[in-house]
Amino acid sequence: MGKWDRDGRRGSGCSASLSKMKVTLSALDTFESSFTPLVVIELVQDVKEETKEWLKNRIIAKKKDGGAQLLFRPLLNKYEKETLENQNLYLVGASRLRLLLGAEAVGLVKECNDNTMRAFTYGTRHNFKGFDDDNDDFLTMAECQFIIKHELENLRARDEKMIPGYPQAKLYPGKSLLRRLLTSGIIIQVFPLHDNEALKKLEDSWYTRFTLKYQPVDSIRGYFGETIALYFGFLEYFTFALIPMAVIGLPYYMFVWEDYDKYVIFASFNLIWSTVILEVWKRGCANMTYRWGTLVMKRQFEEPRPGFHGVLGINSVTGREEPLYPSYKRQLRIYLVSLPFVCLCLYFSLYVMMIYFDMEAWALELHEDSGSEWTSVLLYVPSIIYAIVIEIMNRLYRYAAEFLTSWENHRLESAYQNHLVLKVLVFNFLNCFASLFYIAFVLRDMKLLRQSLATLLITSQILNQIVESLLPYWLQRKHHVQVKRKVQALKADIDATLYEQVVLEKEMGTYLGTFDDYLELFLQFGYVSLFSCVYPLAAAFAVLNNFTEVNSDALKMCRVFKRPFSEPSASIGVWQLAFETMSVISVVTNCALIGMSPQVNALFPESKVDLILIVVAAEHALLALKFILAFAIADKPRHIQIKLARLEFESLEALKQQQMKLVAENLKEELREGEKEKAA
């Protein structure tokens, strides 16, 4: 954290994790504004003055009066507003004491002097490693911004019936003001500021120097938070885990291409590999999240999500006033609208797939008739076109799935995410892999299967690199040049360092989370594991892609998108289950492919029933081995299990002592009352 003045505010000379951000606008010269901005709030251009004043008062008011007790000021003073654009940008910060109390409120877990991880409390602050009254590096900047976001989101309506100046924007007691202002369009966006000095250091150790090294996952966590750090940790782990598959697959590709019976060893290794890497990841993830404190962080009671609406009523669990929506209405929407729509999309995907096969047949017929060089190249064109169409359909469906899931009106964010992930995964799985299953098990054309798999994998990887990173980076660079020109054209007596930074960042794209990044890895895992015995080179292409993916995703996070708010995470969540499900499906597909090979079929020339029974038995044996391995490899290392058990024991002991102390005090009180009665 930064340096603090005697009045408890952060000054502009910040060090370490809260950087030496250059705050040099003249507005900072005033006593009330001398704090380092952490978060920016952008209001709509024609917002009413009374709304601005009301919002300011609620943000700076004391907690006991229903405020957030944060520091708040406009980006520009009156003189600068006459000179510059972007008048409705406001900066939010907090005093050191406020942030420490906020850390306790959100349940941040920190390392104690005895090397254990415990929830931070202000009363026991001196028991925590790295805490000192003169040391301001105890909380990272990402943690401070997360605390401010939490406090802003927990600003709730009290007696107000509407947002001042906007009678149509109704309020009711307990409603989140920030969410209401966002849904009403009064607040355009709320985002945390980048720390340019810390960001430069992170970039230097992360992706600017193209050397083969481990990612600075702890530094990524300190700057972006646990959710993003876990994604990059998983990306790195998955890439290194693919290397054995790539190394073993290369000789199979080069020397035993058509001998499918020899792929039994490779496919068996693949199945064991896919189980072991996922189980070992759980252990590595537990190690990381314990070190970061999120593994032992208590999950708070989940509040209704921003888009949830309904009739105002009393929640039977919390006793709070909040919107209520009958679950049967939600179920009707899911089963009568969402489910038929998803089925329709799946049918359309299969229809497009059949058009692709017609194109393949046309290209093959043309090549057989002419046999020229250009027609041999033409054989790959249908697969390339189909791969591009798949990417377009996936992205269009994603928007439809988000709209439908929002319309279903789920109360909790976790329920919303689970339904969205399910919709998107089902469609993406069918859209990306249906053609490969059709070629493998209906057409039984292994040559076409290899060609289609290679084309789909390579084309999708190239498209993702362009669409996700290169194109947004190019657009961002163009905008950066335009802003630079505007700032240079300002009057010489205005030092607009902070102004330039805020205006640049507010126009950056918003990072929508790790969903698309995990989805890309999930589909890649499918290409590698589902048909490994047919195209063992898939792992090698995945490794090459992921080495560039690490750098392009890092560039995207640092230079293309706004800095996202830190979000505590203890695992990769539902994606762990998705990857495990894919590995189970891969057992079935690989066993079936080996059973269909000519060499294996030649061993059972008379009885196909015996072949089917042996393939099914092998598949069941491999599945059994897979589940035994998953059971044998503990999700958490032994030392982490012991530490967690010790923490639980200490918590129970502390609760027991507290109860005993309360009982003892009650007994003493009863004895005093008895003595008084005797004396009377």
Side-chain angles (χ1 to χ4, degrees), residues 291-409:
R291 187 171 71 246
W292 296 340
T294 51
L295 189 65
V296 296
M297 197 171 178
K298 290 183 180 177
R299 188 171 176 270
Q300 296 182 332
F301 184 80
E302 210 171 343
E303 297 288 340
R305 53 184 293 271
F308 179 65
H309 57 84
V311 179
L312 193 63
I314 302 296
N315 185 308
S316 57
V317 177
T318 63
R320 297 175 188 165
E321 198 171 25
E322 65 175 50
L324 301 177
Y325 188 77
S327 61
Y328 78 88
K329 287 187 178 180
R330 186 179 303 112
Q331 298 302 319
L332 287 174
R333 289 185 174 192
I334 291 171
Y335 291 109
L336 297 183
V337 179
S338 295
L339 185 60
F341 176 80
V342 171
C343 292
L344 185 65
C345 289
L346 295 177
Y347 172 78
F348 181 73
S349 173
L350 293 173
Y351 181 75
V352 171
M353 181 189 76
M354 298 313 295
I355 294 174
Y356 155 66
F357 285 122
D358 289 341
M359 291 172 62
E360 281 283 0
W362 171 79
L364 184 62
E365 186 180 346
L366 193 66
H367 176 64
E368 287 174 350
D369 290 343
S370 65
S372 62
E373 287 288 329
W374 76 271
T375 54
S376 63
V377 175
L378 191 66
L379 288 173
Y380 289 91
V381 172
S383 294
I384 293 171
I385 294 172
Y386 185 52
I388 294 169
V389 170
I390 282 175
E391 289 298 317
I392 294 170
M393 287 169 63
N394 283 345
R395 292 179 187 278
L396 290 175
Y397 177 81
R398 170 74 187 274
Y399 293 122
E402 285 178 348
F403 173 79
L404 272 179
T405 311
S406 180
W407 178 73
E408 288 166 8
N409 199 26

Side-chain angles (χ1 to χ4, degrees), residues 391-627:
E391 289 298 317
I392 294 170
M393 287 169 63
N394 283 345
R395 292 179 187 278
L396 290 175
Y397 177 81
R398 170 74 187 274
Y399 293 122
E402 285 178 348
F403 173 79
L404 272 179
T405 311
S406 180
W407 178 73
E408 288 166 8
N409 199 26
H410 296 279
R411 179 181 176 273
L412 302 179
E413 184 65 28
S414 58
Y416 170 85
Q417 288 296 333
N418 289 339
H419 280 80
L420 177 62
V421 167
L422 181 62
K423 287 186 185 72
V424 174
L425 282 187
V426 167
F427 181 81
N428 276 259
F429 182 85
L430 187 80
N431 202 28
C432 294
F433 300 120
S435 62
L436 301 178
F437 279 101
Y438 186 82
I439 294 168
F441 301 113
V442 179
L443 300 181
R444 298 193 177 190
D445 187 340
M446 296 303 137
K447 187 176 179 181
L448 180 59
L449 179 60
R450 286 195 298 272
Q451 175 191 309
S452 298
L453 179 56
T455 309
L456 286 174
L457 176 63
I458 296 167
T459 307
S460 65
Q461 289 177 345
I462 293 170
L463 286 174
N464 280 324
Q465 294 281 3
I466 294 170
V467 173
E468 288 185 7
S469 299
L470 298 179
L471 182 61
Y473 179 69
W474 178 73
L475 294 171
Q476 180 58 31
R477 291 289 295 175
K478 281 187 68 177
H479 173 70
H480 187 87
V481 171
Q482 291 170 1
V483 171
K484 281 276 188 187
R485 286 173 184 165
K486 282 185 181 180
V487 172
Q488 287 168 1
L490 297 174
K491 293 184 178 179
D493 58 345
I494 296 176
D495 187 348
T497 307
L498 180 61
Y499 173 80
E500 179 187 340
Q501 180 185 350
V502 173
V503 172
L504 269 174
E505 290 185 23
K506 87 179 185 69
E507 295 299 332
M508 285 180 168
T510 301
Y511 183 65
L512 299 176
T514 54
F515 185 97
D516 287 329
D517 297 313
Y518 278 120
L519 180 61
E520 187 180 341
L521 289 180
F522 172 77
L523 295 175
Q524 186 187 89
F525 182 66
Y527 286 127
V528 171
S529 62
L530 287 177
F531 304 99
S532 60
C533 62
V534 173
Y535 191 62
L537 209 58
F541 281 118
V543 169
L544 291 174
N545 174 78
N546 288 0
F547 276 121
T548 59
E549 183 82 15
V550 168
N551 291 296
S552 62
D553 281 355
L555 173 71
K556 176 175 72 177
M557 294 304 307
C558 295
R559 293 295 169 189
V560 175
F561 291 119
K562 295 183 191 76
R563 183 179 188 171
F565 279 105
S566 167
E567 288 293 338
S569 293
S571 68
I572 62 173
V574 70
W575 291 105
Q576 181 78 36
L577 179 62
F579 277 86
E580 288 171 357
T581 304
M582 181 70 84
S583 70
V584 170
I585 297 171
S586 72
V587 173
V588 180
T589 56
N590 280 283
C591 286
L593 285 170
I594 291 170
M596 287 166 51
S597 68
Q599 290 82 2
V600 174
N601 271 265
L603 299 174
F604 301 91
E606 297 178 358
S607 176
K608 297 300 178 187
V609 175
D610 292 344
L611 172 61
I612 293 169
L613 289 174
I614 287 172
V615 169
V616 170
E619 173 252 331
H620 277 60
L622 286 168
L623 281 176
L625 176 62
K626 185 177 181 60
F627 291 123

Side-chain angles (χ1 to χ4, degrees), residues 104-119:
E104 180 177 347
V106 299
L108 284 186
V109 174
K110 290 286 189 177
E111 188 176 7
C112 292
N113 293 323
D114 61 357
N115 297 323
T116 59
M117 304 298 295
R118 299 179 190 279

